Every structure is written in C-alpha cells, then in structure tokens.
Amino acid sequence: MIMSGRARLAGVVGWPVGHSLSPRLHGFWLDRHGIDGAYLPLAVEPEKFESALRGLVDLGFRGVNLTIPHKQAALALCNEVAPLAVRIGAVNTLVFEDGRIQGSNTDAFGFLENLRHGAPDWDPAAGPALILGAGGAARGIAVALLDAGAPELRLANRTAARAADLARELGVTAVPWEARGAALEDIGLLVNTTSLGMTDQPPLDLDLDRLPTAAVVTDIVYAPLETDLLAGARARGNPAVDGLGMLLHQARPGFEAWFGAAPEVTAELRAFVLAG
Ligand code: ATR
C-alpha cells in the first residue's frame, strides 16, 4: 500500500500544521478500511497557498482539508462553493475533480453531529442558544444552529463590535460580554467558541447559577478534554459534550469523498486520536 503508485492522496493544508490531529484521525480510518491511501500534513505559508493548491491538483490529490490561516482565502480559489460554506464565509474541505476545486464547510455538520451523539435528547428548537465568542468558529456554529431550527441566538463576545457585526449579519441578538451570566436564563444550549479554558490560556470566567439544568453545554476547546466549563456543568447536572467530537465528525464527509468509504466515530477512534 502507498508504495503501489496508485494510492489516493489527501491531506491538511495549514501554517503551521504540526499540531493538527487530522493526519492521525484519517490515518486510523485508512487503516481500518484497508484503503491504499495517505493523508499528509502539508505546511504551506499564505503567500504560496494558491500555487501549492494548484500543485496538489496537478499531483492528482483527491482533495484536502484546510486549517488556519487558509479557510477564508480558499473561497476565492474554488470553482464551486457549497451554499453553506458561502454563508459561513469559509471552506475547510476541498474536493478536486477533473482539475476543478469544489469547496465546502463541514464544521457546522461536525458541530451538530457531535451534539446529536453526545446529547441525544437535545432538541435545537427547545430554547435559545448562547454562543460565547464571535470568531470564525462562532460563525460556523451560529449558522449551524439557525439551520437546525434554534428559535433564538445570543452572541456574547469580549470585543462587543465583533458580536454586534455578526449578530446584525445573521439577524440574531448580541449581548454584552459582562452580561453573559445573565444571558444564561432560559437557554437550551451554551457553546464556548473562545479559546478561554484551553491549556495555557486564561480561564473562562462564567457563573452558571442561572443556567437551566436541562440546558446542554458544549465547548469547542478539547485540550483539556474536560474543560472547567464542562466539569462545572456536569457537576450541577447539565448534559455536557466535549469538543473533540466536533473535530472527529467534521472529518467524515471529506474522508468519504476522497477515499470512498463512510467512516465512523467510535470510542476507539477517540482514544487513538487522544493518545497522539
Ligand atoms: P476562531 O476562528 O477559532 O473562532 P478567533 O477568530 O481568533 O478564532 O476567535 C477567538 C475568540 O476567542 C474570539 O471571540 C475572542 O474574542 P475577541 O473577538 O474579543 O478577540 C475570544 N477570546 C480570545 N481570548 C479571549 C480573552 N482573553 N477573553 C475573552 N475572549 C477571548
């Protein structure tokens, strides 16, 4: 395998890319499905992104995932972009076909699938959702929740103008960062999309007193896997879903498109990826 000369090739393009868990994740699935293929970490600096992408097409790659800082820049290089990716304003999955580049965004899918698996009783229509943060991740998650039928979205961000801009664009509500604790009242879902609570980052300072016990709490931070937010939610009886699943589920559509098999997210995969 791989040495056959017929291996299907894909990878993740980023700058830097060394921290990416995707090669390990896709490597597990390639092995599991016995596929003659490889998924490589591809470090490409922004100035060389376009020429590198054309080179990958010429080399016969099936496609790639994109990570920081290429997710927005790639939009302009796609021949076709899925409507959801246009609304999110970023692509994370490219499929190369007959020299053409098709772009899509699977982060929204990954986010929703993770919640559906981790909190099977969660109903997006059951109540308002509060999103902490207003960056690229918040944008994808907000669009996902709107499409899933969330009746109300509240955005709270340290930089108020960023939350206001995104809220205006999506037709949802911005709440002051200082009022994030009060905004927990009557919600059905709380999502942290900020880097707060990540290893070596400041803690997320949030008083959960007003959080309804039925509300689902999720964090896109997965290092540590059990963030203080998730531990605090679980301790008071809230269902809590960690952020690793979003990464694992967002990878499924790309793998299927490039390698032709539908992969599964299992406990074994989680353990393997975490051991990396
Ligand atoms: P991503 O695309 O992954 O969402 P990003 O655009 O850098 O990354 O967004 C990071 C988010 O974490 C932002 O909402 C950011 O708030 P600002 O818009 O005010 O920068 C938030 N964030 C990062 N550090 C923070 C801190 N110390 N306190 C509060 N919010 C923070």
Side-chain angles (χ1 to χ4, degrees):
M1 309 254 275
I2 298 179
M3 309 297 281
S4 69
R6 289 187 299 274
R8 295 174 177 223
L9 300 174
V12 53
V13 180
W15 186 262
V17 79
H19 65 281
S20 174
L21 294 175
S22 293
R24 199 167 163 83
L25 156 61
H26 285 273
F28 178 93
W29 282 333
L30 285 169
D31 188 49
R32 187 49 51 101
H33 289 269
I35 291 170
D36 183 11
Y39 182 102
L40 309 167
L42 301 162
V44 176
E45 56 189 293
E47 301 72 47
K48 301 205 172 124
F49 179 63
E50 179 167 0
S51 56
L53 208 57
R54 306 266 175 237
L56 293 171
V57 172
D58 290 345
L59 281 167
F61 270 61
R62 300 287 175 132
V64 287
N65 281 130
L66 303 172
T67 186
I68 290 169
H70 302 308
K71 286 186 179 191
Q72 281 88 24
L75 265 178
L77 303 177
C78 292
N79 300 101
E80 289 137 51
V81 182
L84 181 67
V86 174
R87 284 170 58 217
I88 294 174
V91 287
N92 73 334
T93 304
L94 302 181
V95 174
F96 306 151
E97 218 168 271
D98 303 324
R100 295 173 65 77
I101 301 176
Q102 300 164 353
S104 63
N105 190 310
T106 66
D107 285 333
F109 169 82
F111 174 77
L112 290 175
E113 282 292 289
N114 186 34
L115 280 186
R116 287 183 183 129
H117 283 81
D121 294 334
W122 174 66
D123 173 7
L130 173 63
I131 298 179
L132 304 177
R139 174 182 285 268
I141 287 169
V143 170
L145 289 172
L146 287 174
D147 281 7
E152 184 194 328
L153 282 191
R154 299 170 189 164
L155 307 181
N157 193 52
R158 171 182 61 179
T159 307
R162 243 181 140 189
D165 286 349
L166 184 57
R168 196 176 313 114
E169 193 186 317
L170 299 176
V172 304
T173 310
V175 300
W177 181 243
E178 298 70 31
R180 61 194 181 281
L184 296 172
E185 199 100 52
D186 73 14
I187 63 169
L189 177 71
L190 169 64
V191 189
N192 176 44
T193 76
T194 73
S195 47
L196 297 172
M198 197 184 284
T199 310
D200 298 333
Q201 296 291 317
L204 171 63
D205 177 19
L206 179 64
D207 182 345
L208 297 180
D209 278 357
R210 304 221 201 156
L211 182 70
T213 318
V216 174
V217 177
T218 188
D219 202 328
I220 67 160
V221 171
Y222 55 79
L225 196 56
E226 184 80 346
T227 59
D228 287 349
L229 172 65
L230 296 178
R234 259 189 255 279
R236 61 196 293 291
N238 289 87
V241 182
D242 71 57
L244 181 65
M246 179 175 172
L247 174 81
L248 304 181
H249 284 285
Q250 66 76 32
R252 285 167 43 204
F255 186 91
E256 187 162 2
W258 307 318
F259 300 117
E264 265 189 276
V265 172
T266 58
E268 196 188 351
L269 172 69
R270 282 175 62 90
F272 180 81
V273 169
L274 284 173

